[in-house]
Amino acid sequence: MENEYEKEADVKSTLITGGAGFIGANYVRRRLQSGDSKVVVLDALTYAGNGASLEGLDDERLTFVHGDIRDSDLVERLLREWECDCVIHFAAESHVDRSISGPDAFIQTNVNGTHALLLAAKRVWLAGEGRPHRFHHVSTDEVYGTLGPGDHPFRETNQYEPNSPYSASKAGSDHLVRAYHHTYGLEVTTTNCSNNYGPYQFPEKLIPLMIVNILLGRNLPVYGDGMQIRDWLYVDDHCAAIDLALERGVSGEVYNIGGDNERPNIEIVKRICEAVEVRFAKDDELKSRFPEGPISRGGAAEDLITYVEDRPGHDRRYAIDFSKAKRDLGYEPTWDFDQGLAATIDWYLQMEPWWRAVMDGTYRDWLELNYAGRSGRG
Ligand code: NAD
Ligand code: DAU
């Protein structure tokens, strides 16, 4: 089957939801570096959104709109005004721990928000004779539930068995995307990806939290026995997979994306400790920059490891079978884990002001300082 989106579309603008978040910001950067398409970012700048993650980008081709994906009239207006023929939907509440303490926002954004976007896309793209379009939905491997030690990695055909309010809300959004394709003919693709790491990740997630805590001399909390397994993927590889799904993906299809890189959490934490120590050994200046950390005081980063109470309902193992994406999209992860981890640690060392502003809360002033009530930037 031919890819109608590629064949017919004269790509105008792409609406990227959640473009000020971790993966969204990495994707926007990639998109603006390659090719000449225009990008409209729609982001509500929740605690996880950070305007500073988009700084230094080509203002001519980037428009930032501060708004909520649940506002389908706003989305409809943006799709028409900017002649968007593509939506890449990243916006979500994304942190499992927060979904346990406060599930409501997850249902609001992930389920209702996704539905509001689909509704707006249907109104604009399917009116009259319709026009070439694509709605790409960015989802997660967590919708498939958890694996036992000997189980085959998740295939696209696995039954959905979400275990946390987060994964249940993402599962709901996946089903809505599927239903809009089957019922109304909306052209959609979905990628279900494993754990990402890399620059601009909010330091509540495992890898950036551990890096920042080592630098600040804070405990490294390991949930339960630390033997839960995740399949880690460098964020650039995920972004590349999304581009491949847009270029070569068939409407209505789902593609699992992973890193072939399963590791228990405790191994990740210990490797981060080791890699940060290697960096300190190479650069004496780091000791004076981060005097609170154990390495600066002659200790070991691993001394900070603290086993804490497990996450309720904690999924034991995720792993991805990405043979469909490999066969149909030509997808393959390109970043080796040591290389990706070193690049990530270097980024957090270089971008100290970015994460310091997150830690002290001043990153939330970005809107007022840079945007001052305007309806767009660009
Ligand atoms: P993130 O939490 O870093 O960013 C989410 C972004 O969405 C933020 O900029 C936030 O301001 C915005 N947002 C939240 N609610 C909004 C709303 N109602 N309207 C508009 N914007 C809103 O998330 P992330 O880690 O970058 O994840 C992006 C997407 O990828 C999510 O859909 C997530 O489920 C999926 N995903 C993430 C991973 C991962 O490892 N991080 C892996 C697989 C899939
Ligand atoms: O699998 C994809 C998912 O990966 C995405 O859909 C989610 O948006 C993303 O947040 C991530 O979910 P996880 O729950 O796997 O990521 P997190 O970084 O929160 O945790 C990774 C593992 O590390 C998990 O087993 C819990 C554990 N953990 C986490 C934190 C924050 C700890 O042991 N200590 C911690 O302090």
Side-chain angles (χ1 to χ4, degrees):
M1 188 172 162
E2 282 202 72
N3 183 336
E4 292 296 314
Y5 172 76
E6 264 305 289
K7 195 176 67 174
E8 292 179 24
D10 166 26
V11 176
K12 294 174 178 113
S13 306
T14 298
L15 180 69
I16 299 185
T17 72
F22 162 47
I23 307 173
N26 278 281
Y27 184 82
V28 170
R29 290 181 168 274
R30 175 187 172 87
R31 181 51 93 88
L32 292 177
Q33 270 157 19
S34 63
D36 54 6
S37 56
K38 286 190 179 165
V39 165
V40 181
V41 167
L42 173 62
D43 199 299
L45 293 183
T46 66
Y47 83 93
N50 189 343
S53 301
L54 296 175
E55 269 167 13
L57 292 172
D58 179 356
D59 264 23
E60 292 298 307
R61 288 161 57 212
L62 172 64
T63 299
F64 178 82
V65 178
H66 181 223
D68 199 305
I69 56 166
R70 289 173 297 169
D71 185 347
S72 62
D73 291 341
L74 168 66
V75 177
E76 184 175 342
R77 189 154 50 75
L78 292 175
L79 291 177
R80 289 190 198 286
E81 231 172 67
W82 292 93
E83 295 185 77
C84 298
D85 57 3
C86 180
V87 169
I88 308 178
H89 176 32
F90 292 96
E93 287 293 337
S94 71
H95 192 39
V96 175
D97 291 332
R98 286 179 191 255
S99 83
I100 295 166
S101 53
D104 214 48
F106 288 71
I107 310 306
Q108 286 295 323
T109 286
N110 301 357
V111 181
N112 297 342
T114 301
H115 184 245
L117 283 176
L118 290 164
L119 203 62
K122 172 176 170 282
R123 281 193 213 132
V124 176
W125 289 338
L126 298 182
E129 289 181 4
R131 53 174 100 159
H133 63 268
R134 175 70 66 81
F135 187 102
H136 183 77
H137 179 51
V138 181
S139 194
T140 172
D141 59 356
E142 300 201 12
V143 296
Y144 299 118
T146 188
L147 293 167
D151 290 345
H152 187 85
F154 298 131
R155 294 188 180 93
E156 289 81 357
T157 48
N158 273 47
Q159 190 175 315
Y160 271 35
E161 291 177 353
N163 289 322
S164 71
Y166 164 68
S167 53
S169 66
K170 290 297 289 188
S173 68
D174 292 9
H175 292 322
L176 285 167
V177 171
R178 177 188 158 90
Y180 265 68
H181 174 72
H182 281 271
T183 305
Y184 304 113
L186 200 72
E187 306 289 355
V188 305
T189 37
T190 297
T191 39
N192 290 83
C193 188
S194 61
N195 286 62
N196 285 213
Y197 68 101
Y200 300 106
Q201 188 166 27
F202 198 84
E204 64 180 351
K205 306 281 167 67
L206 183 72
I207 289 185
L209 179 74
M210 296 297 148
I211 298 171
V212 165
N213 279 8
I214 292 171
L215 298 176
L216 297 178
R218 297 182 181 174
N219 284 343
L220 309 179
V222 173
Y223 298 167
D225 64 359
M227 290 307 291
Q228 305 82 3
I229 292 173
R230 299 291 182 265
D231 174 6
W232 293 95
L233 182 72
Y234 194 65
V235 64
D236 273 356
D237 280 329
H238 184 189
C239 294
I242 291 169
D243 277 341
L244 287 169
L246 286 172
E247 282 162 26
R248 302 179 191 169
V250 172
S251 179
E253 291 294 320
V254 170
Y255 302 94
N256 282 357
I257 307 297
D260 200 9
N261 185 35
E262 283 183 63
R263 292 171 198 276
N265 293 336
I266 188 65
E267 181 194 326
I268 297 290
V269 174
K270 288 185 173 172
R271 284 172 86 111
I272 295 170
C273 290
E274 210 178 283
V276 173
E277 282 175 4
V278 168
R279 266 313 257 104
F280 270 65
K282 283 191 194 150
D283 183 354
D284 244 5
E285 194 220 342
L286 291 176
K287 288 192 179 152
S288 49
R289 270 177 64 197
F290 303 105
E292 311 100 308
I295 312 168
S296 309
R297 290 182 283 107
E302 278 196 22
D303 296 344
L304 296 171
I305 293 176
T306 310
Y307 287 89
V308 299
E309 198 182 328
D310 208 352
R311 174 186 276 174
H314 201 167
D315 285 337
R316 197 70 184 163
R317 173 180 168 231
Y318 303 144
I320 289 271
D321 177 342
F322 58 82
S323 50
K324 179 179 174 185
K326 186 173 176 178
R327 185 191 65 220
D328 295 355
L329 307 179
Y331 163 77
E332 228 165 338
T334 61
W335 282 75
D336 153 85
F337 188 59
D338 285 328
Q339 183 196 15
L341 196 56
T344 305
I345 291 169
D346 279 347
W347 189 87
Y348 281 87
L349 288 171
Q350 279 161 22
M351 297 295 278
E352 188 184 344
W354 182 91
W355 57 262
R356 289 267 186 204
V358 171
M359 310 292 283
D360 68 20
T362 52
Y363 76 112
R364 305 221 62 178
D365 300 341
W366 183 87
L367 196 63
E368 196 50 40
L369 290 171
N370 294 279
Y371 186 75
R374 282 179 291 145
S375 64
R377 182 163 76 94

